[in-house]
Amino acid sequence: MKVIYTDVLVIGGGLAGLRIAIGARRRGHDAIVLSLVPPKRSHSAAAQGGMQASLGNVIKGQGDNEDVHFEDTVRGSDWGADQQVVRMFVNTAPKAVRELAAWGVPWSRVRQGDREVIINGQKVTITERAEAHGLVAQRDFGGTKKWRTCYVSDGTGHAMLFAVGDQAIASGVPVHERKEAVALIHDGSRCYGAVVRDLMTGELTAYVARATAIATGGAGRVYRVTTNAVICEGIGAALALETGAAALGNMEAVQFHPTGIFPAGILVTEGCRGDGGLLRDANGHRFMPDYEPEKKELASRDVVSRRMEEHIRKGHGAKSRFGEHLWLDITLLGRRHIEHNLREVKEICQYFLGVDPAEKWIAVRPAQHYTMGGVRTKHTGESPTLRGLFAAGEAACWDMHGFNRLGGNSVAETVVAGMIVGEFIADFIESPQGELDIPTALIREALAAERARLDGLLAGSGTERAEALKAEMQQIMTDKVGIFRTGADLEEAVQRLQGLLVRSRNIGLRTHSDGPNPELVTAYRTQKMLKVALCIAHGALTRTESRGAHFREDHPRRDDAQWLKRTLATWKGADDTLPSLAYEPLDVLSMELPPGWRGYGAKDYVDHPDTARRAEELTRLRERLQGADRHAVQAGIMPYDHLLPERFRGRNERIDERLP
Amino acid sequence: MSDTAPAPFATAAATASGPARKLRFHVLRHDPHDPASVPHTDVFEIDEAAGMTLFIALNEIREQLDASLAFDFVCRAGICGSCGMVINGRPGLACRTLTQDLPSEITLAPLPAFELIADLSVNTGKWMRGMSERLETWVHSLEQDVDLRRIEAPMDPDLADRIYELDRCIECGCCVAACGTARMREDFVGAVGLNKIARFALDPRDARTDEDFYELVGNDDGVFGCMTLLGCHDVCPKALPLQTQIAFLRRKMARTGAGG
């Protein structure tokens, strides 16, 4: 029996996972990162446009601060987010940018003086302040009141991932590449690590750890049309789900990005619209102002994606042999801007569409992009139901995005959650709870169970083809569990997915090698992906309202009275074909920002009975705190500072808000 | 500007073409973990489709013709560097290579110079980690603990852009596969390594001096091993200015080596 012991086992080598490992190392603990691929190839690298942090350096960001970022994020979430977690996040994001700056990220910087920008289709001259010269610059993104998105041209995630990846090497963090966790080791109440398969040799090893962190990213590949990398298959979420103890939160909350290039689904950044790009229909008409006069192209992603599909349904889509699409026009930004600030976009258009975006429009249509749901955790990143299991980043639901995430908040979350959860993991390890007292039989049994499962696939007489089951699942998800959802479609989806799950228990292989065997990998992952897909579809079927990215045509209103609650999915029995759903209510009476209109999108919703009471309470509180500074007012309404790890507390300095 | 503009339509996706070509893929196969495996070429024939990339073609081959075919893709958008392979004799990123730009006979081989995992899959990760550890490819800061609450240190905007220009490297390994020296000297750091040294030498946040960099690359496994064949420059998928950077670094290191 091969066993490796460590303090922290991090599953996933993207930004969140690497940052957790660095944090643990800096607190004097050992950490091992498992990664399916070399860590610098993780999907974090695909974040193009930037990360939100309220530095307020550019003139269009003046006046920005944590309060504004907080409100934008909560509105974006359609009030699904945990507001204390959002507060923790917005206060740490500026620190994360500054840490990354010190680590060498070549953030694009402010240049003092006049510059020409495109706002609402018009050329406008803005003047940057002398005192901002050389500080980290911000661009505009959807759903934000201020220019807040810090960026490195349009290769932000790449630059961040390489800086953090190199810091991990500098800190001596071992990354075990091409290793895949196939099951968590646990006894129903405590997680002890994972059974890990070597993708090059097929060997199984037990990694036994005092704390285990899932940082495996999203589940986009359960859909056919997605911007996600091929490794984003939701396996981390499935590992947690298969424990029967840990829960997945809000899996039905799935984001569709407005500008996937058509038909390949490859992302072009929201920065295209943030920098002034427009959406046009088959006739060249700029249609977003017709639907969203306030925010136009820069409403939140869920709203823009829905409006685009609505416009196509009305017959205004451009037709091609692959189906209908719309156009993204960035020609008005000019060649210099595109070749400077949108160069990845330019390369992608050139290689995949054969188009120069400085001259021609880009064929786009919404594509699955982000998994708001994930392993349900407390604000510390730890599962409330499986001690010693942590999760961070897109794989987690701690829950800062609610039912829709703002652009630029995801890559920001990876590093912020990595910082915060890394500290809490170190605290956990240093506490009595973090002691490891695992019976060796538990390890042996976990290894034996996985060995038997793999041998069953390798030597078994199954007749189903994993690849075919996976393709059918992806088609069902894209067709029936997409942007517009109905009870009938979702019911059909759940039924068909259940059928696929049953059939997936009878997969047969053509390749019987236990070494590098892509067919075997597809087989065991498909079994897991189907469970995740069922959590999404079943959660969507049951939630009879529309909130954020979850839109039910048969229940088009947001219903706070019935549905201001988080879905929790667990998988009780190995032979089950459906997750068990439970609900966790959100407490309106402790909210800093009670539910209301988002400032874009639908204006009618059903109020929660507590909303009016909380609003009155807040008015009284604010009156009482009149004259106090904004930090004192905030602390009087919804304190959160005590929730943060000590080293990340404290105010953030800005040009207009100097620290003593 | 008017809200309705004349449409400068892209035509690539819209034009119909004649009958689909038959593509014949000659793929170099080998599984070093299998004692019975002998390197050989398998030929796979598939129908070309509109907009087909090697990512699409190889997945189709695996789904329909040979489930055991090993290859690596991650982002399939040309940004992660996973899918470097030798395509009709030239290292490149498979995911963004369109079959329409290739003849109907297509030869695929794994990148040389890296450990073979199986078929078209090579262990670039191990090589790159080794290079990073050897060259210490991170900012060596004088300041140990930056106060994260304070406004960040300013940097000249042009300098930040110039650093990013070199920071765009995706460690795909194409430059190493195309390098004459790398074939002869196992420990040669390659254009990828030299570019990283150039990147950190440019970065004022890195406190290392030219003498420090000389210790790392002032030898035949470093900048003096380069024979200036510049295959690296020709094949770099990110069009990094490798020729200029290597020449610049060599001059600088020669000066440092000569004692200033």
Side-chain angles (χ1 to χ4, degrees):
Chain A
M1 164 163 107
K2 195 171 170 196
V3 185
I4 292 175
Y5 290 91
T6 186
D7 292 329
V8 186
L9 176 66
V10 181
I11 304 173
L15 278 169
L18 291 170
R19 186 61 186 79
I20 286 176
I22 293 169
R25 286 288 290 186
R26 291 189 170 193
R27 291 272 297 265
H29 306 295
D30 281 339
I32 293 175
V33 175
L34 301 177
S35 188
L36 296 177
V37 298
K40 286 175 183 166
R41 314 221 186 285
S42 303
H43 192 52
S44 302
Q48 296 170 358
M51 86 172 251
Q52 284 204 45
S54 60
L55 298 182
N57 291 328
V58 296
I59 198 71
K60 299 292 266 181
Q62 196 175 21
D64 198 11
N65 58 37
E66 298 82 5
D67 297 351
V68 189
H69 192 184
F70 167 81
E71 292 213 357
D72 285 345
T73 302
V74 173
R75 289 176 196 283
S77 82
D78 220 352
W79 278 272
D82 180 318
Q83 297 195 5
Q84 282 185 314
V85 169
V86 176
R87 270 290 174 188
M88 292 168 65
F89 162 74
V90 298
N91 198 56
T92 310
K95 298 178 176 71
V97 171
R98 287 165 178 168
E99 178 175 86
L100 292 166
W103 288 359
V105 170
W107 294 112
S108 297
R109 302 283 174 150
V110 182
R111 191 186 308 273
Q112 65 180 318
D114 289 352
R115 63 180 177 128
E116 209 167 67
V117 296
I118 308 281
I119 298 174
N120 192 20
Q122 306 294 322
K123 277 188 184 158
V124 179
T125 300
I126 58 177
T127 310
E128 297 295 354
R129 296 170 286 180
E131 58 268 39
H133 186 74
L135 299 183
V136 174
Q138 291 80 39
R139 59 161 47 126
D140 200 6
F141 248 49
T144 66
K145 284 209 176 67
K146 300 282 180 186
W147 292 20
R148 187 184 299 126
T149 303
C150 307
Y151 59 98
V152 183
S153 180
D154 64 345
T156 314
H158 163 85
M160 290 168 67
L161 183 60
F162 272 58
V164 173
D166 284 332
Q167 279 297 320
I169 297 173
S171 308
V173 172
V175 180
H176 293 192
E177 295 177 9
R178 296 178 190 264
K179 307 266 191 195
E180 173 166 11
V182 290
L184 295 178
I185 304 170
H186 69 99
D187 61 8
S189 62
R190 169 75 158 102
C191 179
Y192 295 104
V195 176
V196 176
R197 181 172 182 272
D198 186 317
L199 291 167
M200 297 183 287
T201 65
E203 186 182 32
L204 288 187
T205 305
Y207 281 66
V208 174
R210 298 163 76 181
T212 305
I214 291 179
T216 49
R221 286 277 156 179
V222 301
Y223 284 83
R224 184 178 66 78
V225 183
T226 175
T227 64
N228 282 194
V230 299
I231 52 172
C232 303
E233 299 185 308
I235 300 302
L239 293 176
L241 188 67
E242 285 181 340
T243 63
L248 303 185
N250 285 345
M251 289 305 285
E252 66 270 34
V254 177
Q255 178 170 86
F256 296 81
H257 195 292
T259 57
I261 63 168
F262 187 81
I266 293 169
L267 174 74
V268 290
T269 173
E270 184 157 319
C272 290
R273 283 170 291 133
D275 290 0
L278 305 175
L279 290 169
R280 298 185 185 280
D281 63 16
N283 300 316
H285 173 62
R286 180 190 176 195
F287 58 92
M288 276 308 294
D290 306 342
Y291 296 100
E292 294 294 329
E294 288 90 0
K295 295 291 286 182
K296 306 177 182 74
E297 281 85 357
L298 289 173
S300 62
R301 288 178 179 170
D302 58 327
V303 170
V304 177
S305 288
R306 268 197 299 278
R307 296 307 195 185
M308 290 170 73
E309 290 296 328
E310 188 180 342
H311 203 61
I312 290 173
R313 281 182 173 189
K314 287 181 183 166
H316 302 302
K319 291 176 183 52
S320 86
R321 55 155 59 166
F322 301 106
E324 288 177 90
H325 62 84
L326 293 161
W327 300 106
L328 172 65
D329 173 11
I330 60 170
T331 60
L332 68 168
L333 307 186
R335 180 170 296 282
R336 196 191 169 276
H337 181 89
I338 291 168
E339 290 181 352
H340 199 72
N341 281 333
L342 297 169
R343 49 197 300 175
E344 298 297 330
V345 169
K346 180 162 187 280
E347 271 190 19
I348 284 166
C349 292
Q350 182 186 324
Y351 282 101
F352 295 94
L353 295 172
V355 160
D356 176 356
E359 286 178 7
K360 300 216 168 188
W361 298 350
I362 307 165
V364 293
R365 187 159 186 176
Q368 192 286 344
H369 182 60
Y370 191 79
T371 310
M372 268 78 73
V375 181
R376 176 69 184 136
T377 74
K378 302 182 275 190
H379 73 279
T380 58
E382 190 182 16
S383 162
T385 47
L386 190 59
R387 193 159 49 88
L389 178 70
F390 292 77
E394 190 173 351
C397 176
W398 60 334
D399 151 6
M400 68 162 275
H401 303 302
F403 275 75
N404 175 67
R405 158 176 91 71
L406 293 186
N409 261 357
S410 164
V411 78
E413 181 193 23
T414 61
V415 280
V416 167
M419 291 162 83
I420 292 174
V421 175
E423 290 300 313
F424 283 125
I425 287 178
D427 290 348
F428 172 81
I429 286 176
E430 290 161 18
S431 76
Q433 291 220 319
E435 295 295 345
L436 195 63
D437 50 350
I438 177 174
T440 51
L442 194 66
I443 308 176
R444 195 182 61 242
E445 283 159 17
L447 272 170
E450 290 313 305
R451 186 70 269 161
R453 191 140 67 131
L454 293 169
D455 287 346
L457 281 167
L458 284 167
S461 54
T463 52
E464 298 287 350
R465 291 274 168 263
E467 202 53 63
L469 299 180
K470 180 175 164 182
E472 197 175 335
M473 167 192 70
Q474 292 170 326
Q475 193 65 50
I476 293 169
M477 293 300 287
T478 287
D479 290 346
K480 307 286 177 189
V481 198
I483 293 177
F484 288 106
R485 301 170 174 181
T486 66
D489 276 354
L490 292 168
E491 215 155 304
E492 184 192 330
V494 168
Q495 259 177 27
R496 288 174 60 193
L497 290 169
Q498 281 180 293
L500 293 178
L501 180 63
V502 171
R503 286 168 60 193
S504 78
R505 292 166 182 162
N506 183 36
I507 288 175
L509 303 183
R510 288 160 291 182
T511 314
H512 302 283
S513 147
D514 190 28
N517 182 346
E519 194 186 18
L520 173 65
V521 173
T522 303
Y524 62 71
R525 285 193 195 160
T526 299
Q527 293 172 334
K528 289 179 159 59
M529 291 170 82
L530 278 162
K531 291 181 183 166
V532 173
L534 273 159
C535 289
I536 298 172
H538 190 43
L541 171 63
T542 312
R543 184 175 284 273
T544 48
E545 66 151 357
S546 292
R547 181 179 300 275
H550 169 70
F551 189 83
R552 285 284 299 260
E553 287 187 88
D554 44 353
H555 298 278
R557 286 203 299 180
R558 190 181 87 207
D559 184 353
D560 292 340
Q562 300 294 324
W563 286 105
L564 195 55
K565 49 193 182 187
R566 193 169 289 125
T567 310
L568 297 178
T570 48
W571 205 276
K572 299 290 187 203
D575 295 330
D576 289 358
T577 59
L578 267 188
S580 307
L581 299 186
Y583 292 93
E584 177 189 355
L586 275 68
D587 180 16
V588 175
L589 293 176
S590 64
M591 284 182 183
E592 179 174 342
L593 186 66
W597 182 52
R598 304 167 82 188
Y600 42 79
K603 286 184 179 163
D604 61 332
Y605 48 86
V606 182
D607 265 323
H608 190 278
D610 290 342
T611 299
R613 196 175 128 205
R614 180 60 177 165
E616 279 165 33
E617 228 169 60
L618 287 174
T619 312
R620 275 202 309 279
L621 268 170
R622 288 214 160 85
E623 269 167 23
R624 196 182 317 148
L625 294 162
Q626 217 168 22
D629 74 4
R630 65 180 185 90
H631 301 283
V633 174
Q634 196 284 323
I637 291 172
M638 189 187 72
Y640 72 93
D641 204 42
H642 62 288
L643 300 176
L644 276 170
E646 215 166 300
R647 64 179 295 157
F648 299 128
R649 289 180 197 169
R651 298 180 183 182
N652 298 300
E653 188 174 44
R654 296 181 180 78
I655 294 172
D656 302 308
E657 276 186 309
R658 294 287 176 178
L659 291 182
Chain B
M1 139 172 253
S2 100
D3 272 356
T4 299
F9 291 124
T11 50
T15 46
S17 54
R21 280 197 303 173
K22 290 261 182 239
L23 300 176
R24 278 163 54 87
F25 288 86
H26 305 257
V27 182
L28 188 54
R29 308 288 306 273
H30 181 44
D31 177 1
H33 302 89
D34 176 1
S37 171
V38 177
H40 64 283
T41 300
D42 278 347
V43 181
F44 303 103
E45 195 173 279
I46 59 170
D47 289 332
E48 188 170 34
M52 182 178 251
T53 60
L54 291 182
F55 165 71
I56 296 169
L58 283 168
N59 275 292
E60 192 173 315
I61 290 171
R62 184 149 87 186
E63 278 160 34
Q64 293 173 10
L65 302 174
D66 188 337
S68 71
L69 182 63
F71 49 77
D72 291 322
F73 288 98
V74 177
C75 75
R76 61 81 170 87
I79 49 181
C80 80
S82 297
C83 63
M85 60 183 72
V86 181
I87 305 158
N88 282 348
R90 192 183 171 89
L93 297 182
C95 74
R96 67 178 201 190
T97 300
L98 293 162
T99 55
Q100 71 193 34
D101 298 332
L102 298 172
S104 56
E105 303 284 329
I106 299 168
T107 304
L108 300 178
L111 288 185
F114 299 99
E115 184 182 296
L116 180 68
I117 294 170
D119 301 338
L120 300 172
S121 171
V122 294
N123 203 336
T124 50
K126 185 176 166 187
W127 194 99
M128 293 296 165
R129 170 103 184 193
M131 179 273 296
S132 277
E133 285 174 351
R134 200 142 57 93
L135 301 185
E136 303 187 6
T137 59
W138 53 87
V139 163
H140 289 52
S141 163
L142 287 177
E143 220 175 334
Q144 270 315 299
D145 244 336
V146 182
D147 185 345
L148 301 179
R149 299 169 310 144
R150 299 278 169 191
I151 289 181
E152 64 279 8
M155 176 183 269
D156 176 62
D158 293 325
L159 178 59
D161 290 350
R162 277 163 51 215
I163 295 171
Y164 176 60
E165 185 65 31
L166 307 185
D167 206 55
R168 293 179 71 237
C169 170
I170 55 174
E171 297 187 2
C172 61
C174 288
C175 61
V176 180
C179 174
T181 305
R183 299 291 182 90
M184 297 185 296
R185 306 185 72 93
E186 202 182 330
D187 291 329
F188 184 58
V189 300
V192 54
L194 297 175
N195 176 67
K196 280 184 193 279
I197 292 298
R199 180 242 178 271
F200 287 103
L202 193 60
D203 195 329
R205 294 167 292 197
D206 194 319
R208 284 179 288 184
T209 62
D210 285 351
E211 284 72 26
D212 295 329
F213 291 125
Y214 186 84
E215 287 300 312
L216 297 171
V217 293
N219 56 27
D220 286 351
D221 284 334
V223 76
F224 301 126
C226 169
M227 301 184 290
T228 330
L229 298 175
L230 295 173
C232 56
H233 187 96
D234 295 338
V235 302
C236 176
K238 290 286 146 182
L240 295 178
L242 298 173
Q243 179 176 3
T244 326
Q245 291 308 314
I246 291 172
F248 169 77
L249 192 63
R250 183 160 39 206
R251 212 166 51 231
K252 188 175 171 119
M253 289 295 101
R255 220 171 29 229
T256 310

